[in-house]
Amino acid sequence: MRKALLAVSIAASLMATACSITHDSSTTQASSAKNVQMQNPLLTPSALQYQAPDFSIIKDAHFQPALEQGIKEHYQQVLNIANNSEAPSFSNTIVALETSGELLTRTSQIFYNLTGSNSNPTLLEIKAEMAPVMAAHSDNIHLNSALFSRIDSLYLQRNALNLTAEEVRLIEVYHQRFVLAGAKLTDQQKAKIRLLNEEQSNLTNEFSQRLLTLTKQSAVIVDSVDELAGLSDSSIRAAQMDAEAQGHTGKYLVNITNTTRQPVLAKLENRELRERIWLASANRGLSGENETASLVSRLAQLRAERAALLGFKSWADYQLSSQMAETPEAVYSMFGSMVPAVIANTEKEAADIQAMINKTGGDFILAPWDWEFYAEKVRQEKFDLDSASIKPYFEFERVLQDGVFFTLEKLYGVTLKPRPDLPVYHEDVKAYEMFDVDGSSIAIFYADYFTREGKSGGAWMSSFVGQSTLLDTKPVVVNVMNIRKAPDGEPTFVSYDEVTTMFHEMGHGTHGMFSKVKYPSLAGTSVSRDFVEFPSTFEEDWAAHPEVLANYAKHYQTGEVIPEALLQKLLNARSFNQGFDTLEYMAAALVDLEWHSLPADAPLQDVVTFEAAALKKHGVDIAAVPPRYKSSFFAHSFPGGYSASYYAYMWSEILAADAFAYVQTQGGLNREIGMKYRKTIREVGNSVPPMEAYQSFRGQAPTTDALLKRRGLN
């Protein structure tokens, strides 16, 4: 997932802010604040290569003063542009906006990355305090009538200004952004939308903070090691260490991941414990001090109200108006066409699993907490594949170096070299420098792969510095995951799902690092939601390419390449459980879209009732296969940037599967096709309309044929 941090929005979409900033009048505090200002490293560009953040000198206390100063400076710059007495031109309006807000962009990109990857109470407090201020600043820019008048004037004459195609594209992006933010509203409507935006900002921030707390609180304490039968010795030791760290000496702690499904359920033999863990996951946020259900209902309602103000019948219609899909109906149609095949596959899988339960002496009906445990048994029987036999061939560092990095070199001619001299924000983070085929330096890359307290769940890519030839900046990018790190002295092994996620996030990473765009608002991953997941999903499939697999899937002790027979079993087994995987994703995407298809006059909804009705409406209500994310912990949809857009993964997968199938007809893993893909897709960012970029690579529009084959559903 490409994480939609507000910081990135500020830099790429002018989603920043500058209204009133309140300062404490106390002489002591004012003096202290002045000292922080004088010593604040965020106030000037970093002296490190490519302005990489100097984490060795950046302190928590530096962020709020720098954010506040950045807001003031940015707002004054925007006012100067809006009130310029000269006639609007591309240079004095659009370029001026592109070069404004340097301090705010720099500070917020660092700050919001850290609140997701290395948070603490101080950073969360600052984030909560700044949320309404940032929302107001965004409104002060987008609702400025004089500024929009200049942009509108340029938009109307854009084709007569002797501009480049990229410059025309930039004007169109700005105009659409301002219109969708409310630039054409009346003063009364603008006042209303400001209130809605402030409330949304506060609620999404509150949701994120509650979810962090809930994830920690939902961890399951296990009294006896006997209950953990099925887990490896390393996993048991890790659970014991986690319990001790939380003050539960002599016990074991099972952490909850961000999805409804919990990976540990595939191994635990104790059915009662499996049920406890699944329920702890599935019921997060429905009640208690940190419940999020009420936030879900209100966020859906206020987004519908905002969409209505802007002339749309729902938030989904509003969101998709600027996406490749264009309308919710197109998305519903895409999913609707797939439901019969997906349900048929899932029901067949469920029947096979129930037969395995019966065969192994189980006297119960398949439940969600049984699926993965018995699916593994079916997988072993069908494909003679034992996951334990595969594990030694997927050691983390080898997957990264000989898998992910190897593929980048083969396809795109780039290499990554460690940069231990660059300071990092946590000891588990590693810095690299990326070099092109000619030896020239391209970017700085941070690898932050291991789970820890203070890190949000899931996986994402983001930027500390965006690429722009206008600003003369090169990309500084980070990939973040939540891989369970082995105890000191032991190798860290990753599941095959984690392997593909490493490739996926590097797909996002290279989308940012390969960018060769002039204007920052069009650079890198600043593309539509339903296109941004295309380069990352495309990269996933290289994890299973025979040449790539043979290079990284080696025994961690002997270096022996994974035996051909075992490799073939792994590849054959990839299509197994695709009904489940596809259905749980589709269910979540449909729930997201249904929440955001509510009209503005709809009352607040009961979360459990609404979800059940949405699933039934679309025929995806199989009890043993719940949505990947339930609404109360659906971080993509509610606090994140994927509201009414979770469908984008499937939409993008159509492009990715079609592109990958095409690449195989062009010789597969080779530099020639890799460089064509890099130049037509990765380097152009949003300077070219997405479908135009795709067709320049592929030569035609995509079809769903390769997607169905990729998921084993044809």
Side-chain angles (χ1 to χ4, degrees):
M1 156 192 180
R2 171 183 178 263
K3 180 121 177 183
L5 297 171
L6 182 57
V8 175
S9 299
I10 293 167
S13 309
L14 280 180
M15 290 295 288
T17 296
C19 63
S20 60
I21 305 296
T22 303
H23 296 283
D24 193 295
S25 60
S26 160
T27 302
T28 302
Q29 291 189 359
S31 176
S32 175
K34 185 176 181 180
N35 289 336
V36 170
Q37 289 283 82
M38 292 174 62
Q39 303 168 11
N40 196 331
L42 296 171
L43 298 182
T44 55
S46 168
L48 298 178
Q49 185 176 350
Y50 304 153
Q51 299 182 35
D54 191 345
F55 294 111
S56 68
I57 58 175
I58 296 172
K59 309 299 180 187
D60 291 349
H62 294 143
F63 285 112
Q64 188 157 354
L67 288 169
E68 292 177 348
Q69 182 65 27
I71 286 170
K72 285 183 176 181
E73 290 182 8
H74 189 204
Y75 188 52
Q76 187 57 57
Q77 292 165 344
V78 169
L79 287 180
N80 292 342
I81 297 167
N83 300 327
N84 190 341
S85 60
E86 297 179 3
S89 68
F90 183 79
S91 177
N92 69 21
T93 302
I94 303 299
V95 174
L97 286 170
E98 287 290 274
T99 58
S100 67
E102 178 189 3
L103 172 58
L104 183 58
T105 296
R106 177 172 59 249
T107 303
S108 36
Q109 284 184 313
I110 300 170
F111 175 71
Y112 287 104
N113 270 302
L114 292 186
T115 60
S117 60
N118 203 44
S119 192
N120 61 52
T122 299
L123 293 181
L124 293 177
E125 184 178 347
I126 296 171
K127 184 181 177 184
E129 186 172 339
M130 293 304 297
V133 181
M134 299 296 270
H137 182 48
S138 175
D139 288 337
N140 288 341
I141 295 171
H142 291 102
L143 303 181
N144 184 305
S145 298
L147 180 60
F148 178 66
S149 177
R150 298 179 71 86
I151 293 171
D152 194 43
S153 173
L154 294 170
Y155 175 76
L156 293 173
Q157 54 180 322
R158 64 192 183 281
N159 294 319
L161 295 177
N162 195 30
L163 300 174
T164 67
E166 183 178 347
E167 290 166 343
V168 171
R169 173 75 173 162
L170 183 59
I171 291 175
E172 292 171 345
V173 167
Y174 262 96
H175 189 267
Q176 182 184 59
R177 182 187 304 157
F178 272 69
V179 170
L180 292 177
K184 290 186 174 182
L185 298 179
T186 66
D187 289 344
Q188 184 178 8
Q189 290 172 322
K190 286 180 180 179
K192 174 64 174 174
I193 211 164
R194 283 177 181 271
L195 293 175
L196 292 174
N197 288 344
E198 179 180 0
E199 183 180 0
Q200 175 171 278
S201 177
N202 286 327
L203 289 180
T204 54
N205 181 66
E206 181 66 19
F207 195 117
S208 294
Q209 297 207 26
R210 289 189 189 185
L211 189 54
L212 271 175
T213 303
L214 280 168
T215 301
K216 183 176 180 180
Q217 289 178 341
S218 299
V220 175
I221 302 298
V222 180
D223 294 328
S224 168
V225 70
D226 294 339
E227 296 179 77
L228 299 177
L231 298 188
S232 67
D233 291 342
S234 177
S235 296
I236 292 172
R237 283 195 298 274
Q240 186 176 30
M241 291 169 59
D242 286 345
E244 289 176 355
Q246 298 296 324
H248 303 287
T249 303
K251 297 180 187 277
Y252 305 84
L253 186 143
V254 178
N255 286 302
I256 299 298
T257 61
N258 61 324
T259 57
T260 308
R261 183 205 311 204
Q262 297 299 307
V264 71
L265 300 183
K267 298 180 175 63
L268 281 172
E269 297 173 6
N270 187 307
R271 188 172 191 248
E272 182 180 347
L273 179 56
R274 294 202 306 267
E275 181 178 4
R276 282 177 59 203
I277 293 169
W278 188 88
L279 290 174
S281 170
N283 292 333
R284 276 175 287 174
L286 294 180
S287 60
E289 181 182 356
N290 289 294
E291 61 85 19
T292 54
S294 62
L295 304 183
V296 168
S297 299
R298 178 54 187 153
L299 278 167
Q301 187 180 63
L302 71 85
R303 286 169 178 167
E305 292 172 9
R306 188 176 186 274
L309 270 177
L310 293 165
F312 294 89
K313 64 181 181 181
S314 73
W315 181 258
D317 287 276
Y318 166 81
Q319 285 284 75
L320 271 65
S321 66
S322 59
Q323 306 297 307
M324 290 183 72
E326 296 184 346
T327 67
E329 289 72 26
V331 178
Y332 284 129
S333 176
M334 174 188 71
F335 283 131
S337 67
M338 295 177 66
V339 164
V342 172
I343 291 295
N345 265 45
T346 307
E347 288 178 341
K348 183 178 185 305
E349 290 168 2
D352 289 343
I353 291 171
Q354 185 64 59
M356 178 60 70
I357 291 172
N358 299 340
K359 178 180 177 180
T360 54
D363 186 20
F364 51 83
I365 301 298
L366 171 65
W369 47 89
D370 299 315
W371 189 289
E372 289 191 89
F373 181 75
Y374 286 96
E376 278 304 306
K377 291 185 178 299
V378 175
R379 191 194 308 269
Q380 290 174 26
E381 182 175 81
K382 276 182 172 287
F383 303 99
D384 190 24
L385 183 67
D386 180 4
S387 59
S389 66
I390 295 174
K391 179 180 175 181
Y393 295 94
F394 293 112
E395 188 273 323
F396 165 77
E397 196 64 36
R398 181 162 269 159
V399 171
L400 180 65
Q401 299 289 338
D402 298 341
V404 178
F405 291 177
F406 168 80
T407 305
L408 297 184
E409 194 278 330
K410 283 288 186 180
L411 279 176
Y412 314 118
V414 299
T415 54
L416 287 104
K417 298 180 181 179
R419 286 291 306 273
D421 58 305
L422 289 176
V424 293
Y425 55 87
H426 189 276
E427 61 182 5
D428 283 343
V429 179
K430 291 186 178 181
Y432 297 85
E433 184 173 359
M434 178 179 279
F435 295 90
D436 213 337
V437 65
D438 62 359
S440 60
S441 179
I442 299 176
I444 299 296
F445 171 71
Y446 293 96
D448 182 2
Y449 287 111
F450 301 118
T451 189
R452 59 176 170 270
E453 188 172 349
K455 179 187 279 191
S456 299
W460 64 90
M461 162 268 178
S462 194
S463 300
F464 288 111
V465 180
Q467 180 273 331
S468 166
T469 58
L470 175 70
L471 303 180
D472 193 27
T473 55
K474 290 193 175 183
V476 179
V477 164
V478 60
N479 273 179
V480 185
M481 284 182 62
N482 276 275
I483 293 170
R484 182 75 178 178
K485 189 178 182 181
D488 289 345
E490 299 183 29
T492 294
F493 297 108
V494 289
S495 68
Y496 188 70
D497 282 345
E498 289 170 330
V499 170
T500 58
T501 302
M502 290 171 68
F503 277 81
H504 178 102
E505 296 307 332
M506 185 55 80
H508 284 310
T510 50
H511 197 179
M513 290 187 283
F514 289 162
S515 181
K516 286 188 177 180
V517 174
K518 183 173 183 178
Y519 300 102
S521 286
L522 301 177
T525 56
S526 299
V527 297
S528 66
R529 279 275 181 253
D530 50 11
F531 190 79
V532 77
E533 297 297 337
F534 156 42
S536 55
T537 306
F538 171 87
E539 207 72 17
E540 280 183 34
D541 282 356
W542 292 110
H545 189 277
E547 184 179 347
V548 177
L549 256 171
N551 200 63
Y552 75 82
K554 297 179 180 179
H555 197 280
Y556 77 104
Q557 290 176 318
T558 67
E560 174 200 10
V561 176
I562 188 170
E564 181 63 31
L566 185 58
L567 173 59
Q568 197 56 52
K569 289 177 184 178
L570 172 63
L571 295 176
N572 291 341
R574 290 180 68 221
S575 63
F576 177 74
N577 220 35
Q578 279 297 308
F580 178 97
D581 289 343
T582 307
L583 182 59
E584 68 156 7
Y585 161 75
M586 287 175 56
L590 288 165
V591 166
D592 165 50
L593 209 58
E594 284 293 333
W595 272 117
H596 294 107
S597 294
L598 288 168
D601 58 357
L604 291 171
Q605 305 290 314
D606 175 77
V607 167
V608 175
T609 302
F610 184 87
E611 270 189 7
L615 297 174
K616 184 175 182 180
K617 174 182 176 181
H618 294 283
V620 293
D621 52 338
I622 294 182
V625 189
R628 181 173 299 174
Y629 301 97
K630 288 177 174 281
S631 303
S632 55
F633 51 92
F634 204 163
H636 289 75
S637 180
F638 292 99
Y642 279 69
S643 57
S645 300
Y646 192 60
Y647 79 90
Y649 288 92
M650 184 68 77
W651 191 277
S652 294
E653 189 180 348
I654 293 172
L655 302 175
D658 186 73
F660 192 83
Y662 167 69
V663 166
Q664 304 320 302
T665 68
Q666 305 301 305
L669 189 71
N670 69 83
R671 186 75 50 79
E672 183 178 356
I673 191 63
M675 292 303 290
K676 180 184 179 183
Y677 174 72
R678 173 179 166 179
K679 290 181 180 300
T680 55
I681 302 295
R682 302 288 178 94
E683 293 183 359
V684 301
N686 196 27
S687 64
V688 177
M691 188 54 76
E692 183 180 320
Y694 185 82
Q695 290 183 331
S696 69
F697 167 68
R698 178 68 174 87
Q700 65 182 53
T703 70
T704 60
D705 296 345
L707 169 68
L708 295 174
K709 183 177 180 180
R710 183 180 192 266
R711 288 186 168 255
L713 300 175
N714 59 349

